[in-house]
């Protein structure tokens, strides 16, 4: 069988490809599929009758093959396992799967389709989250979560449930990836699958809340609440979306806040740590030339990002996976204590009489991927409307200022600028 060849002309406009997963009564039979072009404009503002798959690619070693239009296409083993579980015995299934529906070897097409992904997931009839192959423990964990959502677990049965199996399920790679944020933030209906077991996304979140598990034991679980919040709200989103050919965005937060909250999440390509968030940003990075482009290096993208967040007056120098950022600003004070709930409430000891903070004051920050710590420095940088956190580190032979993301406050006033510069070293 010859290898599948994508059309030489890349997709454009609001055109996408959809995967037709053909039925088979034999669960072990090879996967037979067809690809067809499709316009997201066809049904106007309504959702479309295709399902969008949210999953992790998994390792590229020992790929498996599927047949598309009677030609062979290699895909990862995790995706292959997911398609086997999704295949129906009698009915064709229509899916959007990025690894198949986008010609990954065509950088221009990747760039164009990545900009459409928020709309693709928003237009889908539902989003299916594939957590990976099923095991007895994983499928038992999903069943316990379902029972908890239905309040069917008694006090004694809660004590008997396999809590470690649930925590292990929540540490699967899907929960750590950065692309999944946009995929569930856009979804109108979410279904979660692990092997042959599936559960409604809202029920999944309701069950986790009912179980009241502690997530402090593992760093991988610290960001769980942000993803379950997005899944839980899927059913509350409008079934109608804008049909404009102009920029489509989910308008979750501005780009700087999104990066602060999610930059520790994982991506196979480091550039996707920025590109995966563009469709959720409430500002318009595209106006500043910040848009998916896999022809540029991470260093070039990083410089564009810093200038977009901190303004054109900032100086950025990159070398050997390290960046030096120079910008004028003033120090407002030091963090003297931190109290956390779903946000970060910090007490600040002021050392800047110009701000007249009165020695000690308390401000509230949004949740951050890297929590604020005592002794962190709070600065207001020139041209930036909200304060920035700087953390001192001992990285290397000399003490340096190390950038710890841009966290934002509410209700801060303006003050005269001091003339000194703040230098920050940051690993891209």
């Amino acid at each position: 069988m010859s290898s599948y060849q994508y059309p030489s002309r890349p997709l454009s406009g609001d055109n996408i490809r959809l995967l037709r997963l053909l039925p088979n009564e034999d669960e072990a039979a090879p996967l037979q599929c067809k690809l067809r072009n499709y316009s997201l404009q066809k049904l106007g503002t309504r959702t479309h009758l295709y399902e969008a798959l949210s999953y992790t690619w998994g390792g590229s070693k020992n790929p498996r093959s599927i047949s598309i239009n009677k030609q062979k296409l290699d895909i990862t083993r995790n995706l292959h396992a997911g398609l086997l579980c999704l295949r129906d015995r009698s009915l064709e299934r229509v899916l959007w799967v990025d690894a198949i529906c986008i010609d990954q070897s065509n950088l221009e097409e990747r760039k164009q389709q990545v900009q459409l992904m928020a709309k693709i997931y928003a237009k889908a009839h539902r989003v299916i989250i594939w957590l990976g192959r099923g095991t007895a423990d994983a499928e038992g964990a999903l069943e316990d979560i379902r029972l908890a959502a239905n309040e069917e677990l008694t006090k004694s049965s809660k004590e008997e449930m396999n809590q470690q199996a649930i925590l292990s399920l929540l540490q699967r790679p899907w929960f750590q990836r950065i692309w999944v944020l946009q995929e569930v933030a856009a979804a109108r209906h979410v279904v979660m699958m692990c092997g042959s077991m599936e559960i409604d996304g809202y029920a999944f979140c309701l069950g986790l809340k009912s179980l009241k598990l502690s997530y402090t034991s593992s760093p991988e679980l610290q960001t769980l609440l942000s993803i379950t919040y997005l899944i839980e709200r899927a059913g509350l989103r409008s079934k109608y979306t804008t049909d404009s050919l102009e920029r489509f965005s989910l308008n979750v937060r501005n780009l700087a806040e999104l990066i602060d909250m999610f930059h520790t999440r994982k991506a196979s390509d480091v550039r996707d740590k920025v590109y995966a968030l563009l469709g959720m940003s409430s500002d318009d990075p595209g106006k500043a030339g910040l848009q998916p482009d896999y022809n540029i290096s991470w260093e070039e993208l990083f410089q564009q990002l810093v200038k977009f967040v901190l303004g054109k007056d900032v100086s950025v120098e990159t070398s050997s996976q390290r960046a030096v950022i120079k910008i004028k600003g003033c120090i407002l004070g030091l963090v003297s204590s931190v109290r956390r709930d779903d946000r970060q409430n910090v007490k600040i000891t002021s050392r800047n009489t110009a701000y007249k903070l009165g020695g000690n004051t308390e401000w509230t920050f949004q949740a951050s991927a890297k929590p604020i710590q005592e002794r962190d420095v709070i600065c207001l940088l020139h041209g930036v409307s909200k304060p920035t956190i700087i953390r001192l580190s001992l990285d290397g032979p000399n003490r340096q200022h190390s950038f710890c993301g841009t966290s934002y406050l509410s209700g801060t006033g303006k003050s005269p600028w001091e003339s000194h510069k703040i230098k920050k070293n940051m690993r891209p």
Side-chain angles (χ1 to χ4, degrees), residues 332 346 348 363-366 378 386-387 407-412:
L332 303 184
V346 302
I348 301 162
W363 284 345
T364 299
F365 288 75
Q366 67 176 40
I378 298 182
K386 297 178 182 179
S407 294
Y408 288 86
L409 305 173
S410 58
T412 59

Side-chain angles (χ1 to χ4, degrees), residues 256 259-260 263 368 370 387-390 402-407 424 426:
I259 288 174
D260 176 46
H263 68 271
S368 176
K370 291 185 177 179
T388 301
I389 297 293
I390 307 293
S402 177
F403 184 63
C404 178
T406 307
S407 294
K424 301 180 291 183
M426 176 183 180

Side-chain angles (χ1 to χ4, degrees), residues 50-54 94-97 120-121 124 126-129:
Y50 65 85
E51 299 167 301
L53 189 63
S54 177
V94 181
L95 303 162
W96 188 85
V97 184
I120 291 170
Y121 281 88
R126 66 177 184 173
V127 171
I128 300 171
I129 295 172

Side-chain angles (χ1 to χ4, degrees), residues 41-313:
Q41 298 288 322
K42 280 191 174 180
L43 292 183
T45 59
R46 291 184 296 163
T47 56
H48 298 227
L49 293 180
Y50 65 85
E51 299 167 301
L53 189 63
S54 177
Y55 69 107
T56 60
W57 281 28
S60 58
K61 291 183 178 179
N62 302 317
R64 301 293 301 273
S65 296
I66 63 173
S67 172
I68 297 182
N69 303 339
K70 297 183 179 180
Q71 294 179 310
K72 184 182 75 168
L73 180 70
D74 287 341
I75 60 175
T76 64
R77 299 179 74 85
N78 183 53
L79 176 54
H80 188 271
L83 293 178
L84 279 176
C85 286
L86 286 166
R87 181 173 59 183
D88 192 78
R89 297 173 66 88
S90 304
L91 299 174
E92 179 180 300
R93 202 157 190 169
V94 181
L95 303 162
W96 188 85
V97 184
D98 61 348
I100 301 173
C101 297
I102 301 174
D103 180 359
Q104 298 295 327
S105 65
N106 188 317
L107 295 183
E108 283 303 311
E109 180 167 301
R110 280 176 63 190
K111 172 182 176 179
Q112 188 270 342
Q113 291 286 290
V114 163
Q115 294 179 69
L116 274 183
M117 282 177 66
K119 181 181 283 190
I120 291 170
Y121 281 88
K123 292 276 192 178
H125 174 63
R126 66 177 184 173
V127 171
I128 300 171
I129 295 172
W130 170 249
L131 296 178
R133 296 174 184 272
T135 64
D137 279 351
E139 293 185 1
L142 273 185
E143 178 62 12
D144 282 342
I145 293 171
R146 186 193 68 79
L147 293 173
N150 290 329
E151 300 182 347
E152 296 178 27
L153 286 177
T154 63
K155 184 177 180 180
S156 59
S157 60
K158 279 188 178 181
E159 292 173 353
E160 293 173 2
M161 73 176 183
N162 189 343
Q163 186 174 123
Q164 186 54 50
I166 296 176
L167 293 176
S168 295
L169 177 70
L170 298 176
Q171 292 179 73
R172 287 202 171 198
W174 184 88
F175 291 96
Q176 306 304 317
R177 307 299 288 182
I178 197 163
W179 273 113
V180 305
L181 295 166
Q182 176 179 257
E183 293 161 7
V184 295
R188 268 57 181 169
H189 179 205
V190 172
V191 172
M192 309 188 72
M193 287 186 64
C194 183
S196 60
M197 185 81 174
E198 67 178 59
I199 182 174
D200 180 83
Y202 181 77
F204 178 84
C205 298
L206 199 64
L208 289 180
K209 281 185 178 179
S210 176
L211 291 172
K212 297 178 180 178
L213 300 173
S214 173
Y215 304 128
T216 58
S217 59
S218 172
E220 288 82 7
L221 296 172
Q222 301 302 310
T223 58
L224 182 67
L225 292 179
S226 61
I227 196 76
T228 55
Y229 172 81
L230 293 172
I231 295 171
E232 185 177 8
R233 296 186 63 82
L236 302 177
R237 297 177 190 123
S238 172
K239 302 297 180 186
Y240 295 85
T241 60
T242 177
D243 203 34
S244 171
L245 286 173
E246 297 178 1
R247 177 180 179 265
F248 179 90
S249 175
L250 303 173
N251 294 318
V252 176
R253 287 181 182 270
N254 66 51
L255 184 60
E257 290 178 314
L258 291 170
I259 288 174
D260 176 46
M261 296 172 70
F262 302 123
H263 68 271
T264 58
R265 286 183 167 269
K266 297 177 180 177
S268 301
D269 186 325
V270 68
R271 294 169 293 186
D272 285 334
K273 290 199 172 191
V274 178
Y275 297 156
L277 301 176
L278 296 180
M280 296 195 293
S281 63
S282 55
D283 40 18
D284 189 356
K287 289 183 178 179
L290 194 60
Q291 58 185 358
D293 184 354
Y294 293 96
N295 288 305
I296 68 171
S297 67
W298 163 249
E299 287 75 20
E300 292 175 275
L301 174 59
F302 179 73
Q303 291 196 27
Q304 290 180 12
L305 175 65
V306 172
K307 289 181 180 293
F308 177 76
V309 173
L310 299 182
K312 294 181 179 179
D313 293 336

